[in-house]
Amino acid sequence: MDPSRPGRAQPSLRNRALAILARREHTRAELARKLAPFAEAQADVETLLDDLAARKLLSDERYAEARTATLARKFGAARIEHELRARGVSAPTAERAVRGARETELDRARAAWQKRFGAPAADALEKAKQMRFLQSRGFSFEAIRAVVGGRGDPE
């Protein structure tokens, strides 16, 4: 019983997991972290996660694809891959999910640059600012140079 809600039973660990997964995809690591405070033993969480994965209700691959599609609107492949790895997605899974984003990186970098700046840099200071912006978004150096028009040589 929850002392803050008299007369109501606590949801089971499985029900908590299903409620969390109903809101959005989660990685195995994220779900384990969220369920840990409610489990009597860590083995209970691992058993539940194994069962959910076997039933295809929990999938790091599906999470990586969905998150990549969301992040690809604004960010480059490096930033997306870093985000996935930070959420507990394995390196090979993250790399597979980001592969498509790498192919469209130049177009996405150009769109981000156009939305933020819209005009070529007037001087070297402005060019550096534009390049830093795209770099912070995780775009490759090749894409940044192609978009900003930098050649890598000082002006």
Side-chain angles (χ1 to χ4, degrees):
M1 286 276 202
D2 182 359
S4 66
R5 296 159 73 190
R8 290 201 173 188
Q10 285 287 343
S12 70
L13 200 58
R14 175 176 291 284
N15 287 342
R16 283 183 192 279
L18 292 174
I20 290 169
L21 288 171
R23 289 185 209 111
R24 71 167 175 87
E25 291 287 342
H26 284 70
T27 63
R28 183 181 180 99
E30 282 181 312
L31 192 56
R33 181 183 48 77
K34 288 182 177 185
L35 294 175
F38 303 102
E40 292 178 20
Q42 183 61 28
D44 295 343
V45 173
E46 291 301 320
T47 302
L48 175 61
L49 295 177
D50 290 341
D51 181 54
L52 292 173
R55 294 173 186 260
K56 306 258 189 267
L57 296 173
L58 176 65
S59 169
D60 281 0
E61 290 82 10
R62 197 169 52 233
Y63 171 84
E65 290 171 9
R67 190 69 179 144
T68 297
T70 300
L71 293 175
R73 295 182 205 132
K74 292 173 62 174
F75 300 107
R79 173 93 178 255
I80 296 168
E81 190 168 357
H82 176 75
E83 168 83 16
L84 293 176
R85 297 294 311 277
R87 299 285 181 141
V89 175
S90 69
T93 302
E95 178 58 38
R96 278 193 305 275
V98 173
R99 192 172 295 135
R102 288 193 197 288
E103 294 169 3
T104 61
E105 188 162 63
L106 179 58
D107 294 333
R108 291 179 298 105
R110 191 171 285 123
W113 174 85
Q114 183 67 37
K115 184 175 181 179
R116 176 71 181 248
F117 301 104
D123 58 14
L125 232 49
E126 180 65 20
K127 181 189 255 185
K129 178 181 177 182
Q130 292 179 5
M131 292 177 92
R132 280 192 309 274
F133 169 75
L134 292 174
Q135 185 180 22
S136 73
R137 291 286 179 104
F139 291 105
S140 69
F141 187 65
E142 293 79 25
I144 293 169
R145 279 194 356 209
V147 170
V148 178
R151 304 281 183 267
D153 55 310
E155 292 186 22

